Amino acid sequence: MKIICSKSNLLKSVSIALKAVPSKTTMPILECILMDATTNQIKFTTNDMELGIETIVEGTIEEKGMVALDAKIFYEIIRRLPDNDVTIKTDDKYAATITCEKAKFNIPGKSGEDFAYLPMIEKDEPLTISQYTLKEMIRQTIFSIAVNENNKLMTGELFEIKDNCLKVVSLDGHRIAIRKMPLKKDYSDRKVVVPGKTLSEVSKILSGEVDDQVSIYFTKNHILFEFDQTMVVSRLIEGEYFRIDQMLSSDYETKLKINKKEFLDCIDRATLLVREVDKKPIIINITDDDMELRIDSAMGSMNEEIDIEKEGKDIMIGFNPKFLIDALRVIDDETVTIYLVNPKAPCFIRDEEESYTYLILPVNINQNQAR
């Protein structure tokens, strides 16, 4: 095999493919990047058996062939080469010679025959949306998936198409994040749970441009994202997702409107006095047109008042400040509306169209904290 590509094209493609190379594996072939130039295209493929990526590289094929090279070493070599054309040549024993200007590397390769190819996905009825929309929907929900694997379903996000609306949901047992978007044409109903790792990696590769499209294909066990000459295939998480509708309520006793930036900055200041391990709640005391935020810790105390518009009852309630910060950071509106029922019931932050909903469970506060 002999191919010639510019360093910038190689680096871009290797960086994309690297996202599906496992950090630990019992199958050494999976630590490789498969370079396939057996057709009229140069394709790079990586696969960790959960997530697989195939991306097309712009370049010239002088001799057709295929080789598997250690992905991390190959990436580091390409990264350090001069900004010029790179020639990659292999011999009959799969040893690769990489040259660029006066630099020359020789690294061993493997036959591509043993490589775990990506599963074949039937491409029928794609959901096509803008890359910007998908990237934003992931950004606005991914923070509330569970980090540990105790409940596999919580480590993924629900993608549901129903009544020509795409709904993305994540939850970790303490909070729920929901984003909804009306779709421009008719789609059949779908419901799948996509691993958070997949969405996080897809989000990094997406251009995020409004005019660039991404096509999403669903099968029983897999999801395929296709965009910009790249395919990302992932296994789905099996099981029935949680029935969140039972947890969502439109009832409230207190409704607040508040300047988002002011509220976020205030909580941010309060967390200066809290170490992550302390788990100290921020106490919010709501009276007529005034909200007092208070935090007490071994490092000191802080309180601040913010103007609000309020309907309904006065209330005092405690929250994990991180959960409020995470939700407020991804809301783009200038003013947010918060719905509360009582100090033990979840609070909801949502807009009127319900294009986003964030549910956060409160923290129990004792009488000493409430004073």
Side-chain angles (χ1 to χ4, degrees):
M1 180 186 92
K2 184 179 179 185
I3 60 172
I4 300 168
C5 307
S6 72
K7 178 201 166 170
S8 59
N9 283 343
L10 271 177
L11 193 57
K12 182 183 170 198
S13 302
V14 182
S15 302
I16 289 170
L18 208 59
K19 297 184 189 311
V21 176
S23 46
K24 286 187 202 142
T25 176
T26 52
M27 297 167 67
I29 192 74
L30 296 184
E31 293 173 344
C32 293
I33 187 164
L34 181 72
M35 303 173 67
D36 184 347
T38 52
T39 60
N40 294 326
Q41 288 178 319
I42 305 167
K43 286 181 190 166
F44 286 0
T45 307
T46 48
N47 186 2
D48 69 4
M49 307 310 279
E50 293 287 323
L51 176 68
I53 295 175
E54 179 186 289
T55 189
I56 294 168
V57 192
E58 299 291 331
T60 309
I61 302 171
E62 294 207 343
E63 287 172 29
K64 291 188 175 180
M66 180 165 66
V67 69
L69 299 176
D70 182 294
K72 292 194 169 70
I73 289 171
F74 183 59
Y75 168 72
E76 291 300 343
I77 289 172
I78 300 300
R79 197 164 72 86
R80 287 169 168 81
L81 288 175
D83 289 330
N84 212 326
D85 282 354
V86 180
T87 303
I88 301 164
K89 192 175 190 300
T90 59
D91 63 16
D92 54 359
K93 294 196 175 74
Y94 306 108
T97 304
I98 302 163
T99 50
C100 179
E101 291 182 11
K102 293 176 183 173
K104 185 176 180 180
F105 284 88
N106 290 303
I107 58 170
K110 294 176 182 169
S111 156
E113 300 301 325
D114 306 331
F115 195 82
Y117 281 89
L118 302 191
M120 287 298 293
I121 303 292
E122 294 230 351
K123 293 186 183 176
D124 113 34
E125 202 196 4
L127 164 65
T128 304
I129 56 176
S130 101
Q131 290 193 33
Y132 170 79
T133 301
L134 180 60
K135 198 173 174 107
E136 281 296 284
M137 289 183 94
I138 296 170
R139 179 181 74 90
Q140 291 166 334
T141 51
I142 196 87
F143 61 85
S144 59
I145 61 168
V147 184
N148 61 32
E149 298 266 329
N150 292 349
N151 189 322
K152 194 85 174 137
L153 283 163
M154 283 190 186
T155 64
E157 293 200 357
L158 175 73
F159 271 57
E160 182 176 21
I161 301 171
K162 196 174 178 188
D163 304 328
N164 295 327
C165 177
L166 171 64
K167 179 163 80 172
V168 177
V169 181
S170 62
L171 54 80
D172 65 3
H174 303 284
R175 52 188 171 166
I176 303 175
I178 304 166
R179 284 284 282 114
K180 286 184 189 168
M181 188 197 72
L183 300 169
K184 288 178 178 147
K185 63 183 203 109
D186 292 354
Y187 290 96
S188 46
D189 290 3
R190 304 265 184 180
K191 201 175 187 179
V192 299
V193 184
V194 188
K197 176 182 182 281
T198 298
L199 294 172
S200 180
E201 298 303 356
V202 165
S203 175
K204 288 173 197 163
I205 311 171
L206 288 166
S207 72
E209 296 296 324
V210 175
D211 298 334
D212 294 348
Q213 300 288 302
V214 53
S215 295
I216 306 172
Y217 300 88
F218 303 89
T219 69
K220 187 169 177 288
N221 298 315
H222 292 90
I223 186 167
L224 163 64
F225 300 89
E226 196 170 39
F227 55 95
D228 300 344
Q229 296 196 307
T230 296
M231 290 197 311
V232 180
V233 182
S234 168
R235 279 180 186 271
L236 296 169
I237 296 175
E238 291 175 22
E240 185 68 30
Y241 200 72
F242 310 93
R243 295 190 173 167
I244 58 158
D245 293 346
Q246 298 165 355
M247 308 173 209
L248 303 176
S249 161
S250 52
D251 294 342
Y252 64 90
E253 296 283 327
T254 311
K255 176 182 173 182
L256 318 174
K257 278 193 177 173
I258 186 164
N259 178 291
K260 187 204 85 167
K261 187 173 184 313
E262 215 177 306
F263 189 29
L264 181 56
D265 289 350
C266 178
I267 303 168
D268 208 24
R269 281 192 285 276
T271 56
L272 286 171
L273 299 174
V274 183
R275 291 194 306 265
E276 193 72 37
V277 290
D278 289 347
K279 294 196 164 50
K280 290 280 182 190
I282 189 159
I283 293 159
I284 298 177
N285 189 16
I286 293 155
T287 51
D288 286 337
D289 290 312
D290 191 61
M291 174 196 273
E292 184 196 13
L293 284 88
R294 203 166 65 243
I295 205 153
D296 286 296
S297 78
M299 295 159 76
S301 65
M302 175 256 186
N303 70 307
E304 189 171 340
E305 291 183 4
I306 302 179
D307 293 337
I308 52 169
E309 283 179 40
K310 186 194 93 167
E311 288 175 28
K313 297 181 175 174
D314 292 355
I315 184 171
M316 184 181 287
I317 190 165
F319 290 104
N320 177 331
K322 181 185 182 302
F323 293 169
L324 287 171
I325 288 172
D326 285 347
L328 292 168
R329 268 197 188 133
V330 299
I331 296 172
D332 297 327
D333 296 348
E334 200 175 311
T335 306
V336 292
T337 309
I338 302 171
Y339 300 86
L340 301 149
V341 180
N342 63 53
K344 292 203 158 70
C347 96
F348 291 90
I349 306 172
R350 60 174 172 240
D351 59 346
E352 281 187 19
E353 302 79 39
E354 292 191 20
S355 67
Y356 64 78
T357 303
Y358 296 101
L359 173 155
I360 303 169
L361 291 177
V363 178
N364 282 335
I365 49 177
N366 59 38
Q367 286 312 301
N368 293 342
Q369 290 171 314
R371 275 208 300 273

